[in-house]
Amino acid sequence: MNTRVVESSVPRLSSYVAGEWREGKGEEQTLVNPSSGEAVARCSTDGLDLGLALDFARNQAGPALRAMTFAARANVLAQIAEALAKRRERWYEIARINSGNTKADAAVDIDGSIGTLKYFAKLGAGLGNAKILVDAPASRLTRDPNFQAVHVGVPLRGVAVHINAYNFPAWGLWEKASVSLLSGVPVLTKPATATAWLAQEMVQCIAEAELLPKGSLSIICGSVQDLFHHLRMGDVICFTGSAATGQMIRNDPAVRSRGVRINVEADSLNATILGLDAEAGSQAFSSFVREVVQEMTVKAGQKCTAIRRIFVPVSQSHVVRDAIAAELQEIKVGDPANAEVRMGPLVNMPQRLTVAEGIARLRAECEVAYREDPLKIVDADVNRGAFVSPTLLYANRGNHSQLWNELEVFGPVATLIPYGDQGEAFSIAAQGGGSLVASVFSADPTFMTEAALALAASHGRVLLADPSIESSHTGHGIVLPSCLHGGPGRAGGGEELGGFRGLWFYHQRAVLQGSSAVLNKITEIAVNPPSAQS
Ligand code: NAP
């Protein structure tokens, strides 16, 4: 992505704020086709009145959304999903042009977002005419059984500012917006500029359909400008992106001084472990190899959940290395407009440079087990497209470098690390500093149990793939709306989704103390305790 004034034939992405489409002025940022380097769109937020945008959302959309029940808001989510599903081909086209996505890559983003909206539409329909949450039935406080307390959640009276990473322009938008809108909190979304086109056109599609109260869903295309300066109590920031940007937002004086609630989903060194029992030819072994190759190459490895560290018993490490390398060799890299291409480019040239630097640093510590050099590219020019070869690195036993536990290379890159015993595997996996996901492939229930207990403290999700769920599990990298998404430590410490649990982020918890008659009256509009919800 460049910052410059480009020729006017390149379409300009406007922002939707205060219920109107507005264009920024001044210097513009350019979005490119990463396969060819051509400019495909431009945008700017310079001069937009973002204070007005937030006020409009707070004062116009907030009350209108809060007046609706969960079921009514859920019904809107269902209609949004339907409207988006009708234009699926258009979304795929934008994802190919602006993100370099193959069809399979685009499906994760686009179908994932529609599926998430449908999931929350269904969950919300089940919450019926309620408007608030309770987390447990009222309980007595003193000897008098009539004096009780109940903890409730009321929707926040501000705006949810959603800042997204470049790799999931559609899913990032809707996985956050579906939970926020279902909770009755208006959204101002900011896609990463490099791939903002898809999010912008999706918001346009929904704005034109007039499904939501005006101001419920705003979008800014370009940088945040002075947005944080206008935030206040009741507003929230939900950020996805690099750890460095997450840290900067957390430390923003306006965010800190006004106690703005913040959720951070940052980078992650996800691990996968092959069990000690899984020998070459076993089901666990072949599933493991397939999963690693898939995770390295889908979206050219630009998934926050992608496998970065591969732990393999030392006795199997050469066989696994060779099996992964053999499958990587079959991956055709190039312009995803060609249906034979299985892996497209990275998002842009700066990202290619960053990934090349990351590979060079890892190479200084490890052997290269697979890398196509020179890389053959289908239907594209190596000098103009942001292509990199899938790269498998191998850490020899006795190598005490920690780099693979520290450096996230956001591309088709992973490091294989042989381990001696399970204690060693679990302890190195935990040294990633906190990650989104770990997966374990084994047919040994004892190994699985010990892995789960050891890894859950440092990974937000643990997939225990034994052969009985071989054909039914959804894979290492797929985030499901019913399950928690987030991880401790460097992964940001955030929590998103998780079905019903996710609604709490957009509610203020308070305890109400009073007579049972008054509390019963209030909780008539509350959702039943969540034990009944998924
Ligand atoms: P990034 O550079 O940190 O940008 C993320 C978002 O923050 C973009 O919308 C960006 O806007 C915005 N931003 C940048 N500087 C900002 C500032 N000073 N104030 C407010 N917003 C600011 O990350 P990225 O390169 O897009 O994404 C890659 C990273 O995201 C990887 O590290 C990956 O692991 C992580 N990620 C994590 C998850 C997760 O769920 N945990 C999911 C996806 C990606 P501009 O584009 O306009 O600069």
Side-chain angles (χ1 to χ4, degrees):
M1 192 179 53
N2 299 318
T3 302
R4 62 192 159 97
V5 177
V6 292
E7 61 280 16
S8 55
S9 60
V10 176
R12 183 184 272 160
L13 303 178
S14 38
S15 295
Y16 189 54
V17 289
E20 285 179 16
W21 290 99
R22 305 250 169 97
E23 283 183 0
K25 299 178 181 66
E27 202 165 34
E28 290 175 326
Q29 290 166 292
T30 309
L31 288 66
V32 300
N33 177 335
S35 296
S36 63
E38 272 170 82
V40 294
R42 59 201 167 117
C43 63
S44 165
T45 47
D46 269 12
L48 294 185
D49 189 341
L50 299 179
L52 177 76
L54 291 171
D55 276 343
F56 187 88
R58 269 187 215 113
N59 302 331
Q60 307 283 323
L65 284 170
R66 289 196 299 275
M68 297 163 76
T69 62
F70 280 112
R73 295 190 294 251
N75 184 37
V76 175
L77 294 187
Q79 291 179 59
I80 292 175
E82 205 176 310
L84 293 176
K86 281 190 188 144
R87 303 198 59 198
R88 210 182 236 114
E89 287 313 311
R90 172 64 176 158
W91 314 138
Y92 272 62
E93 186 188 11
I94 299 174
R96 176 177 57 75
I97 297 172
N98 186 207
S99 291
N101 281 186
T102 63
K103 281 210 158 173
D105 297 339
V108 183
D109 190 25
I110 291 158
D111 296 293
S113 65
I114 295 171
T116 301
L117 278 157
K118 284 186 177 164
Y119 170 86
F120 280 101
K122 194 164 170 214
L123 184 142
L127 304 182
N129 292 331
K131 289 184 176 173
I132 61 172
L133 307 176
V134 294
D135 70 359
S139 61
R140 156 185 174 170
L141 294 172
T142 63
R143 276 198 194 155
D144 176 4
N146 188 33
F147 179 46
Q148 300 202 342
V150 65
H151 289 78
V152 298
V154 294
L156 294 173
R157 300 206 161 202
V159 182
V161 171
H162 293 165
I163 300 176
N164 284 314
Y166 75 77
N167 56 340
F168 280 107
W171 180 80
L173 160 61
W174 295 112
E175 60 97 15
K176 288 183 172 66
S178 54
V179 185
S180 184
L181 293 172
L182 181 58
S183 300
V185 180
V187 170
L188 185 149
T189 191
K190 191 211 115 38
T193 305
T195 56
W197 181 10
L198 179 54
Q200 196 260 8
E201 207 166 305
M202 283 181 150
V203 169
Q204 193 177 353
C205 161
I206 298 311
E208 281 166 9
E210 297 188 345
L211 299 170
L212 285 159
K214 256 201 163 159
S216 302
L217 181 59
S218 309
I219 184 167
I220 57 169
C221 299
S223 69
V224 291
Q225 307 288 353
D226 64 348
L227 180 70
F228 296 163
H229 180 72
H230 302 285
L231 294 178
R232 59 187 201 209
M233 191 197 84
D235 297 328
V236 297
I237 298 175
C238 224
F239 167 81
T240 298
S242 61
T245 312
Q247 200 55 31
M248 204 153 56
I249 294 176
R250 268 192 220 282
N251 290 334
D252 184 279
V255 172
R256 281 167 76 108
S257 65
R258 303 202 191 112
V260 173
R261 189 179 289 182
I262 175 162
N263 190 78
V264 172
E265 299 290 346
D267 61 34
S268 182
L269 287 159
N270 311 294
T272 189
I273 302 178
L274 182 68
L276 284 161
D277 59 301
E279 300 200 336
S282 67
Q283 208 176 12
F285 183 98
S286 17
S287 303
F288 180 82
V289 169
R290 204 170 41 245
E291 196 70 20
V292 169
V293 172
Q294 162 118 335
E295 285 296 313
M296 285 180 71
T297 54
V298 168
K299 284 183 138 296
Q302 299 166 105
K303 272 184 17 271
C304 52
T305 51
I307 292 171
R308 307 284 175 211
R309 299 176 300 150
I310 308 162
F311 295 98
V312 176
V314 67
S315 60
Q316 299 293 326
S317 60
H318 287 181
V319 195
V320 174
R321 178 196 63 190
D322 296 346
I324 297 172
E327 291 210 15
L328 289 175
Q329 206 167 5
E330 299 300 312
I331 304 285
K332 279 206 166 94
V333 179
D335 184 339
N338 184 321
E340 286 185 6
V341 163
R342 282 186 50 204
M343 195 180 96
L346 297 174
V347 68
N348 53 29
M349 285 303 217
Q351 189 60 18
R352 176 172 130 176
L353 192 64
T354 307
V355 166
E357 284 167 2
I359 293 172
R361 287 183 63 195
L362 285 170
R363 281 180 82 157
E365 311 279 338
C366 306
E367 272 177 23
V368 177
Y370 179 77
R371 179 169 174 77
E372 193 183 339
D373 192 10
L375 177 62
K376 287 193 282 304
I377 297 170
V378 179
D379 291 351
D381 177 349
V382 69
N383 297 313
R384 296 175 65 91
F387 298 97
V388 289
S389 167
T391 304
L392 179 68
L393 298 142
Y394 183 89
N396 276 309
R397 284 292 283 165
N399 180 337
H400 297 297
S401 168
Q402 283 292 312
L403 198 59
W404 46 81
N405 289 328
E406 289 160 9
L407 180 67
E408 183 201 44
V409 183
F410 206 60
V413 183
T415 306
L416 192 154
I417 303 136
Y419 71 83
D421 57 30
Q422 70 175 54
E424 185 187 353
F426 302 160
S427 100
I428 311 180
Q431 287 164 23
S435 298
L436 292 171
V437 50
S439 54
V440 188
F441 290 76
S442 164
D444 175 356
T446 308
F447 184 86
M448 288 293 211
T449 308
E450 288 174 18
L453 299 181
L455 298 173
S458 50
H459 296 79
R461 176 163 63 86
V462 181
L463 169 67
L464 302 163
D466 75 23
S468 73
I469 53 167
E470 152 95 7
S471 57
S472 56
H473 77 72
T474 44
H476 170 105
I478 295 294
V479 175
L480 296 171
S482 57
C483 293
L484 171 77
H485 174 58
R490 70 180 287 163
E495 291 193 354
E496 283 185 343
L497 300 171
F500 185 86
R501 297 166 196 88
L503 300 178
W504 278 98
F505 181 72
Y506 296 98
H507 286 76
Q508 180 61 43
R509 196 191 306 269
V511 58
L512 306 180
Q513 300 172 329
S515 70
S516 49
V518 168
L519 296 188
N520 283 343
K521 171 100 184 106
I522 293 167
T523 53
E524 271 171 19
I525 57 155
V527 172
N528 289 329
S531 55
Q533 314 291 340
S534 58

